[in-house]
Amino acid sequence: MNKIIQIAAIAAVTLMATGCRSWFINEKTSITSDKSELVRDTATIAGFTGSPADGRTFPDISEPLPQLGMKLFFSKSLSGNKDTACASCHHPTLGGGDNMPLPVGVDATVSDLIGPGRTHSPNGHEFDGGPTVPRNAPTSFNIALWDDFIFHDGRIESMSKTPGQNGASMSSGIKTPDNPSGAFNIMVGGNLAVAQARFPVTSKEEMKGFSVQPNGSTQDIRDLIVNRLTAAPGFEDELPQNYWLEEFQTAFSHPSGTADQLITDPNIFHAIGEYQRSMVFVDSPWLRFMKGDNSAIDQRAKEGALLFFRSSMNGGAGCSGCHSGNTLTDEKFHVLSTPQIGRGKEPNRMDQGRWYVTKEESDRFAFRTPSLLNVEKTGPYFHAGTAPTLRDAVIQHIDPQSFLDNYSINHLPVGTQIEKLRENTEPALQALTTLRSQGKSKLPQLNLSDADINNLVAFLESLTDPCVNDRQCLSKWIPTGRDPDGLRLFAKDVDGNPL
């Protein structure tokens, strides 16, 4: 044993001196049967250094401002026709999303039915039997950990991109469709979470609806919400009841403040942003393992982690090339060529992703790299929700063409728009081929075994904070008590069970 240790030590000194530490790490497997230290070293070298929450500050859900934001998040009064809440597509018990490939926003058959089984009413605008929102609902969990971009196409962008600041900066602003220059603007908000919160209410498919202010601007609908909550002249009877002033007085510690002073556009979305920023779920078995608990994850997850963090040139799957850092995302945009379903962004149901924002040819069909924190709970996966399981998502990365050729629609809700599935996916596959030929794609071409895939899935499952599987734990983010306006979303599943 001493001789083996001596050989290993000599090899370590020699190889580290020549910059070949990765070879030495691989060779550790011949010294110990437990790969825990090997896994930690490999992950650390790849850029995972600790908790993604380290060095950041977050509001606590018990604080008055996130409490107000929670009540607003669950109120249908923020939608044009008072039939949809933010939580209609982003519910805590559904992984911060809705567990559907594509959401049904406004004009749902049953407004309080959330998740699988939610359908578009035959009386709704442009009814075609399928979902109304063109892209999968991204999770609201851990939105406080994003520093660069929000949304699948990144149309909300921090100009500073300062690590650890959630887009906030003392010297620069946030670029949005309303603020294309990115200059500092109080109406945009002080961080990415607030800036994001301002936009679902402006989307006709998501919350605004088609009959309210059909030709109005994005600001018009926000002004309507303010008028509704303040009971401005002409809006006195908009809500069944109205205790919003008391709620804002409490949240902003201004017991004598008036509705005009407190119930303002910036305050509404700041509160919602703070509620979302309080939903930080990072205490996963994987993190406990990285802190030294060898038993926190099993051997399959350790093998999967080695595949995940090793490059394809070093016997791995190269996943951390894009899913990098402690949040497991590079916050950049990549072409994966996933199947295109749903209404899309164009009349022909196409969706060209980041290209709509930049008009750069290399951005056609590119979408933002999602964080993999709690990924077990945030499916279905990809911008159109076309991978129903983690295993499917891994397989798609391995061979996008084969995934399309063998794609099953059986998991899709009845009525999902699929008539142009292949026609609209083939251009994305060609874009991937072109990027690969130019050396611009980070998606490696792999040949993984079933065991490899199973191990990768086991690792991905180890990224789940137990709280997101625990209704009691999540109850702090679901409002109880007084309903300020009588329009609270009381979410239920397809069987009528409360969520």
Side-chain angles (χ1 to χ4, degrees):
M1 178 62 70
N2 290 337
K3 184 175 182 180
I4 293 176
I5 294 175
Q6 290 173 351
I7 293 172
I10 294 170
V13 172
T14 304
L15 290 167
M16 291 178 73
T18 58
C20 298
R21 188 183 176 201
S22 62
W23 182 90
F24 174 61
I25 289 174
N26 291 340
E27 290 304 302
K28 279 187 178 180
T29 55
S30 66
I31 301 172
T32 175
S33 58
D34 178 19
K35 295 185 178 181
S36 293
E37 288 306 315
L38 170 60
V39 173
R40 289 192 190 97
D41 287 347
T42 303
T44 300
I45 290 172
F48 191 98
T49 59
S51 172
D54 287 348
R56 297 176 183 261
T57 58
F58 313 103
D60 189 276
I61 186 57
S62 65
E63 297 169 1
L65 197 54
Q67 283 288 306
L68 171 62
M70 176 173 61
K71 292 168 185 174
L72 290 165
F73 196 84
F74 275 80
S75 175
K76 291 178 280 189
S77 65
L78 271 64
S79 61
N81 289 311
K82 294 176 283 190
D83 68 344
T84 313
C86 302
S88 297
C89 293
H90 303 280
H91 198 280
T93 64
L94 298 178
D98 64 358
N99 280 5
M100 296 176 67
L102 295 168
V104 173
V106 300
D107 298 333
T109 305
V110 180
S111 63
D112 281 7
L113 197 167
I114 308 303
R118 184 177 174 91
T119 57
H120 189 203
S121 169
N123 298 319
H125 184 80
E126 294 183 353
F127 174 78
D128 63 4
T132 53
V133 180
R135 290 177 179 164
N136 178 262
T139 179
S140 56
F141 291 171
N142 295 325
I143 193 172
L145 302 180
W146 292 93
D147 292 325
D148 298 354
F149 299 96
I150 297 289
F151 293 139
H152 290 292
D153 58 12
R155 61 189 183 275
I156 307 291
E157 177 180 0
S158 167
M159 301 307 293
S160 69
K161 300 180 178 62
T162 305
Q165 295 301 308
N166 195 215
S169 171
M170 296 298 292
S171 60
S172 60
I174 295 173
K175 183 184 294 186
T176 76
D178 290 346
N179 187 46
S181 71
F184 180 80
N185 185 333
I186 192 172
M187 296 297 283
V188 172
N191 56 56
L192 288 173
V194 178
Q196 175 275 330
R198 297 175 58 78
F199 282 90
V201 300
T202 71
S203 167
K204 294 179 179 179
E205 295 84 3
E206 294 177 32
M207 294 184 71
K208 178 183 176 182
F210 292 84
S211 61
V212 175
Q213 299 178 340
N215 299 313
S217 69
T218 53
Q219 192 55 43
D220 287 339
I221 187 63
R222 299 186 191 112
D223 292 342
L224 181 149
I225 292 168
V226 171
N227 288 333
R228 186 179 281 170
L229 300 191
T230 58
F235 292 83
E236 297 92 341
D237 299 323
E238 277 275 305
L239 304 176
Q241 59 193 36
N242 195 331
Y243 296 100
W244 282 117
L245 178 56
E246 294 177 29
E247 298 289 346
F248 277 77
Q249 288 172 335
T250 299
F252 288 95
S253 302
H254 196 338
S256 62
T258 66
D260 288 342
Q261 290 174 324
L262 296 177
I263 307 178
T264 64
D265 176 318
N267 283 355
I268 289 170
F269 296 106
H270 178 51
I272 294 174
E274 289 299 274
Y275 165 66
Q276 292 189 99
R277 280 171 35 80
S278 76
M279 291 191 281
V280 178
F281 303 112
V282 299
D283 186 20
S284 65
W286 166 251
L287 187 58
R288 294 196 295 276
F289 167 79
M290 285 297 289
K291 290 180 177 180
D293 182 357
N294 289 353
S295 64
I297 63 175
D298 64 21
Q299 196 61 34
R300 292 185 309 131
K302 292 174 187 178
E303 295 287 353
L306 290 175
L307 281 169
F308 185 94
F309 288 106
R310 282 174 170 166
S311 73
S312 58
M313 300 292 292
N314 194 28
C319 308
S320 62
C322 298
H323 293 285
S324 56
N326 294 340
T327 55
L328 299 176
T329 172
D330 60 4
E331 294 203 45
K332 291 181 170 55
F333 303 86
H334 302 280
V335 177
L336 298 185
S337 307
T338 60
Q340 178 60 51
I341 62 171
R343 293 193 174 191
K345 287 288 187 176
E346 301 176 21
N348 67 350
R349 305 196 189 284
M350 181 77 80
D351 190 339
Q352 301 190 56
R354 180 66 174 164
W355 178 80
Y356 298 125
V357 179
T358 68
K359 295 299 187 287
E360 294 287 337
E361 192 63 28
S362 60
D363 281 333
R364 286 189 189 273
F365 311 107
F367 295 89
R368 185 188 66 163
T369 306
S371 168
L372 296 181
L373 303 177
N374 304 301
V375 67
E376 177 187 10
K377 294 291 291 185
T378 59
Y381 307 98
F382 307 136
H383 77 276
T386 43
T389 69
L390 278 176
R391 183 178 177 83
D392 289 314
V394 171
I395 290 172
Q396 193 282 334
H397 281 70
I398 296 171
D399 190 341
Q401 181 69 63
S402 177
F403 189 76
L404 174 63
D405 292 341
N406 296 289
Y407 188 68
S408 171
I409 62 172
N410 292 337
H411 73 285
L412 299 176
V414 174
T416 301
Q417 303 89 342
I418 57 171
E419 66 275 12
K420 292 184 177 292
L421 190 159
R422 178 169 287 276
E423 177 183 335
N424 285 340
T425 309
E426 290 289 358
L429 284 164
Q430 183 56 53
L432 175 60
T433 299
T434 299
L435 290 171
R436 279 174 161 170
S437 69
Q438 297 171 345
K440 296 180 179 180
S441 173
K442 285 192 172 183
L443 187 66
Q445 295 177 285
L446 301 170
N447 183 20
L448 300 183
S449 67
D450 282 345
D452 290 334
I453 295 170
N454 291 337
N455 290 339
L456 279 171
V457 170
F459 165 68
L460 295 173
E461 291 173 343
S462 78
L463 302 173
T464 303
D465 185 321
C467 184
V468 305
N469 283 318
D470 185 341
R471 177 60 173 78
Q472 183 175 356
C473 182
L474 290 173
S475 65
K476 293 183 290 185
W477 288 272
I478 301 172
T480 57
R482 185 173 69 178
D483 179 355
D485 55 22
L487 290 171
R488 177 171 293 166
L489 172 72
F490 290 98
K492 59 186 178 181
D493 65 20
V494 69
D495 296 319
N497 302 308
L499 293 179

